[in-house]
Amino acid sequence: MMLVNGREGLSVPVADRGFQYGDGCFTTLEVRDGAPLFLARHQARLSRDCARLQIPYDCADQVVSEARSLAEAGRDGVLKIIVTRGAGGRGYRCPDVPQASRILGFYPRPVYPSEWAASGVVVRVCRMRLGNNPALAGIKHMNRLEQVLARSEWSDAEIAEGLLLDAQGWVTEGVMSNVFMVRDGRLETPRLNRCGVAGVMRELVAELAGRMGIAVREGRCRLSRLREADEVFVTNSLIGIWPVRRLDDRAWPVGSLTRRLAEAVEQAKAGAVQEFLAAQP
Amino acid sequence: MMLVNGREGLSVPVADRGFQYGDGCFTTLEVRDGAPLFLARHQARLSRDCARLQIPYDCADQVVSEARSLAEAGRDGVLKIIVTRGAGGRGYRCPDVPQASRILGFYPRPVYPSEWAASGVVVRVCRMRLGNNPALAGIKHMNRLEQVLARSEWSDAEIAEGLLLDAQGWVTEGVMSNVFMVRDGRLETPRLNRCGVAGVMRELVAELAGRMGIAVREGRCRLSRLREADEVFVTNSLIGIWPVRRLDDRAWPVGSLTRRLAEAVEQAKAGAVQEFLAAQP
């Protein structure tokens, strides 16, 4: 089911700048038992990303109520929320008073092998390098050709994710996830000030780690440093945490810190569902 | 008027990857007296860009016949042709057998002050820097947030175009145009192997220059070198050639080589119209 500016529909105007230029941003969240998990966080990220793109995000209230209604109807699955700059403007120039469009779609949960969360996943290093642009870094915008082409590099169903380096060879993220490593009991994740998508689950994991007394550092990291890490895992809102058990030829057992954090994420999800159900009339 | 996969319509499916990820490419051409100017060149660029993006461009014949029919109906204006990877695929992953979508739209000609072509335009240097990604460089793909944000840097109607440098400070192109400079009777234009859009008019201008015995060199160029050029001009399929008469505080008179090339472009356009009309039954 899909809502386009509040109406059921499956299409958008060709004139929408989201289609013409990828002029918008999006977020993807998990729905469990009718609860849109961490909706407030996803809402905050949409708001932040729209502000970075100078899109007036004045449909926030509608997004929340429509997200809740789609989640209630769908019960379990995935909710994708897109906000674009709407239609208009000649060429690249934005309209003087843009009217944002919102597109919310409910989808079935992607099916991943159940052992991936428990026993870890195989990751490869992509040939595609991310271009650096601080003006777009961190934003989950709709310009995602780099991810599309990176994901097209492999078809082996055993490989769960691809690791992306930037143009200078710095480890940045997975194609659809953020990446963390554990080193001497501390957590490290790439700084995303030149490229990459700052995921909602990345933020949550860092917060949970903080509450558990685990230091978290953002920084630059070479592939060689990642390979020397004690543990590596990837995160996104749908998968939570996947331990990385192999990166090309480097293998890891599932680490204890990764396991503790994965449990913390699952508890946070369960807590969010409980909180949601308790707030229902 | 608009044709979406051959049918009149004004919308595309939300599921189209052009909307979801900017997963496609486009070209924009001028229509005069019902003639779609340099359609074969635009067709070749779509084909080349689709190949780079691994989009099977097997609707080339339909694109040509639909472009001709829209041009005939519209007579004078602008034709934009978009080719996307179509719908489908879970997340970034492409469908195993993608079915490209084509969207052709006819628009009125943009209205620019008539003196811009004759007496030159004012250009500013954008703060936005283009990210470098050789995998996408040269392609007129649908990931155009950099251009959207760059164009939003100014609203002064006197300023016709913004000049874009890449992340390393190399002059690359205009927001909606390519840039050329004249130095000692020779033509130079930035190499577009790390970012930028290789325009159809850029290609035509280089060819016309070659036929006129003017050497053309692609290379790297700093802003300081551009400012020292004898003449500077920008090109695209709609404007042809605009001499640059001012870049921030640097001023130029309209140069003789720029004028000769602009005339050659106009002749080529007139020739394309004649050729088209002669081929009509």
Side-chain angles (χ1 to χ4, degrees), chain A residues 2 4 9-24 26 52-54 80 82 84-85 90 92-94 103 107 110-112 128-136 140-149 151-152 154-157 167-168 175-176 197, chain B residues 2 4 9-24 26 52-54 80 82 84-85 90 92-94 103 107 110-112 128-136 140-149 151-152 154-157 167-168 175-176 197:
Chain A
M2 212 171 277
V4 179
L10 297 169
S11 62
V12 287
V14 169
D16 194 284
R17 297 174 62 94
F19 181 68
Q20 294 284 330
Y21 306 124
D23 192 3
F26 67 103
R52 296 265 315 273
L53 298 176
Q54 305 155 37
K80 180 169 179 177
I82 300 174
T84 79
R85 205 183 307 268
R90 183 165 57 71
Y92 297 128
R93 186 173 181 175
C94 302
I103 296 93
Y107 303 88
V111 180
Y112 300 116
M128 164 69 71
R129 297 292 185 93
L130 296 171
N132 284 313
N133 190 334
L136 295 174
K140 198 170 175 84
H141 54 67
M142 296 169 74
N143 280 196
R144 300 264 73 107
L145 266 172
E146 290 179 328
Q147 282 69 27
V148 168
L149 294 183
R151 184 59 189 83
S152 75
W154 80 95
S155 55
D156 181 349
Q168 274 76 51
V175 172
M176 59 165 194
V197 174
Chain B
M2 211 171 275
V4 179
L10 296 170
S11 62
V12 287
V14 170
D16 193 284
R17 298 175 62 94
F19 181 68
Q20 295 284 329
Y21 306 123
D23 193 3
F26 66 104
R52 295 268 312 275
L53 297 176
Q54 305 155 38
K80 180 169 178 176
I82 299 174
T84 80
R85 205 183 308 269
R90 184 164 56 71
Y92 296 128
R93 186 172 181 176
C94 302
I103 297 92
Y107 303 88
V111 180
Y112 299 115
M128 164 70 71
R129 297 292 185 94
L130 296 171
N132 284 313
N133 190 332
L136 296 174
K140 199 171 175 83
H141 55 66
M142 294 169 75
N143 280 196
R144 300 264 73 108
L145 267 172
E146 291 180 325
Q147 282 70 25
V148 168
L149 294 183
R151 185 58 189 82
S152 75
W154 82 94
S155 55
D156 181 348
Q168 274 76 53
V175 172
M176 59 165 193
V197 174

